Amino acid sequence: MDQDSHCTAERELLEAASRITTSSTTSPSDEEGNQPKAEISCQARKENLEKDDMQDSSATLSPNSSMTTKELQEYWRNEKRQCKQIKLLFEIPSTRIVEHHLSKYVMYKIIILQTGSFDSNKSVIERRYSDFEKLHRNLLGEFSEEMEDMTFPKKTLTGNFTEEIINERKLAFKDYLRLLYSMKYIRRSKKFIDFLTRPELQEAYGCLRGGQYTKALEILLEVIGLQERLTRGNPVAIVPTLCAIVVCHKDLENSASAFEYGEKALSRLRAHTSHRYYIPLLETMITLAYELGKDFLSLQEKLEEWKTKKDPIRVFTLKELAVREYVQ
């Protein structure tokens, strides 16, 4: 009798799990339900992106019917962890006025935090009014429907540096970033991501080109975490930054750290062997593995395999590729 009860309970749990799977693939998410009307109106225009999103986020498999009750419970716990969306919060706690010989402007300090838990890797950037204005203008060109009801703080001829105007803009820019991030097509757009990361990356690559590897590495390590969270559905997007970190560590003779970040970059290129960074990264990893006494034969085999499939072409070194990024 006890055994029959156990089997019945297990069947009920499996049936419930099946209903959850069906429901989760057909019901709109809470996020989409709360999206602004303007975003929903362009759903058909972004149909392909929606399919990509589903492929990126649904690495889940249907539970095997032969699972025990305990295994099934563990399966759903793991699925819940994997499907939990990373969300970011934007705070603008302070400002500073910058004065040059011929110009004066306000810099807004933006703190970007991850929700759901204590975020020890918060990102801190600074942007001025003209940076926000340029972002708004660029986004309007691509997402006019989504942004038709959004307001942007207007320029004033006088009073730009009064405490009242600065505080108003702090609140307005905070709400503005929050609204932009709430629309998934905008938060995944290159224009939005560039606004949050490009100035720092440009500075870092400038330091790299100037041989200031310690300073470049410091900036790159600060921005890589934010880049990862912003490009979660496109892991290849951060490969150039990872490779720049490899170059800095290598030139600073931190071979172990260089190899560690090189492995992260290679893992993102497994299905992208035609990527311009793939062969230069492989060659660098072979050198590092040899220096560290690690297995380099498997890396060498990948390199030889690639060479037999591709026509011989000129390939830049990893460092040569890195110094070409963000060249004005």
Side-chain angles (χ1 to χ4, degrees):
M1 189 71 180
D2 291 341
Q3 185 176 0
D4 291 341
S5 299
H6 175 76
C7 292
T8 301
E10 187 174 77
R11 281 197 302 274
E12 290 175 353
L13 184 57
L14 285 167
E15 289 171 0
S18 178
R19 288 194 296 273
I20 292 170
T21 304
T22 304
S23 172
S24 66
T25 56
T26 56
S27 300
S29 65
D30 293 339
E31 178 194 10
E32 291 176 345
N34 294 327
Q35 286 175 338
K37 182 180 179 181
E39 181 184 5
I40 298 172
S41 69
C42 69
Q43 204 81 13
R45 180 165 65 88
K46 305 281 193 333
E47 190 176 36
N48 290 335
L49 284 174
E50 179 69 21
K51 291 177 181 177
D52 292 340
D53 175 44
M54 292 178 67
Q55 290 172 356
D56 291 335
S57 61
S58 66
T60 60
L61 299 173
S62 298
N64 192 307
S65 60
S66 64
M67 285 181 175
T68 65
T69 303
K70 184 177 180 180
E71 288 172 338
L72 186 62
Q73 290 171 340
E74 182 62 27
Y75 171 87
W76 285 112
R77 276 195 293 268
N78 290 334
E79 286 300 297
K80 188 176 180 181
R81 288 191 210 105
Q82 292 174 8
C83 295
K84 187 176 181 181
Q85 182 187 352
I86 292 177
K87 293 186 178 181
L88 301 180
L89 291 175
F90 299 87
E91 298 290 341
I92 304 181
S94 62
T95 61
R96 64 186 178 95
I97 297 175
V98 178
E99 292 190 65
H100 292 305
H101 179 60
L102 296 174
S103 64
K104 181 179 179 179
Y105 53 87
V106 179
M107 294 294 289
Y108 296 85
K109 181 180 181 180
I110 306 168
I111 297 178
I112 306 165
L113 300 161
Q114 180 177 324
T115 62
S117 61
F118 176 72
D119 188 1
S120 60
N121 296 317
K122 66 182 180 183
S123 300
V124 181
I125 59 177
E126 283 189 317
R127 298 293 182 266
R128 54 189 290 189
Y129 180 93
S130 60
D131 295 324
F132 281 97
E133 188 180 40
K134 181 180 178 182
L135 171 67
H136 188 69
R137 188 169 58 250
N138 288 340
L139 289 176
L140 278 175
E142 186 177 352
F143 302 100
S144 56
E145 292 181 27
E146 292 91 332
M147 299 179 65
E148 62 183 357
D149 296 326
M150 293 183 68
T151 58
F152 188 82
K154 295 181 179 179
K155 274 187 175 179
T156 58
L157 296 176
T158 60
N160 286 310
F161 303 102
T162 64
E163 185 177 351
E164 181 182 2
I165 292 295
I166 290 174
N167 285 334
E168 283 180 4
R169 286 183 174 174
K170 276 170 56 179
L171 294 173
F173 286 145
K174 174 185 172 180
D175 288 341
Y176 179 71
L177 290 173
R178 178 183 59 79
L179 284 171
L180 291 181
Y181 186 77
S182 72
M183 294 182 263
K184 64 183 173 185
Y185 303 117
I186 290 182
R187 71 168 174 261
R188 292 178 181 176
S189 70
K190 186 177 185 300
K191 293 179 176 67
F192 182 68
I193 294 170
D194 279 352
F195 169 80
L196 296 172
T197 60
R198 189 178 180 88
E200 287 70 28
L201 288 171
Q202 285 178 320
E203 182 184 1
Y205 279 95
C207 292
L208 193 158
R209 283 189 289 273
Q212 298 174 281
Y213 302 115
T214 300
K215 179 63 175 175
L217 183 60
E218 178 185 332
I219 300 170
L220 290 168
L221 291 174
E222 285 180 0
V223 77
I224 188 69
L226 177 58
Q227 239 189 330
E228 284 180 313
R229 286 175 283 186
L230 289 169
T231 61
R232 186 164 169 258
N234 181 20
V236 177
I238 66 166
V239 166
T241 306
L242 288 170
C243 288
I245 292 173
V246 172
V247 169
C248 289
H249 274 307
K250 189 172 185 296
D251 280 359
L252 290 169
E253 299 183 354
N254 301 329
S255 297
S257 296
F259 191 84
E260 176 189 345
Y261 279 92
E263 285 187 315
K264 292 179 181 180
L266 270 182
S267 70
R268 287 163 169 79
L269 293 178
R270 283 198 190 104
H272 305 274
T273 57
S274 60
H275 194 281
R276 70 187 190 281
Y277 271 90
Y278 181 69
I279 293 306
L281 179 59
L282 263 184
E283 292 174 339
T284 299
M285 290 294 284
I286 291 169
T287 301
L288 290 169
Y290 182 79
E291 290 177 7
L292 295 167
K294 295 179 179 288
D295 171 35
F296 63 88
L297 293 178
S298 58
L299 295 169
Q300 188 71 49
E301 288 173 1
K302 290 180 182 178
L303 180 61
E304 295 302 324
E305 180 184 355
W306 186 91
K307 287 181 177 179
T308 59
K309 292 180 180 179
K310 303 287 183 178
D311 294 330
I313 55 173
R314 186 191 171 194
V315 177
F316 292 112
T317 66
L318 197 66
K319 187 172 183 178
E320 286 172 339
L321 275 180
V323 298
R324 282 168 169 76
E325 295 283 350
Y326 295 96
V327 175
Q328 296 291 341

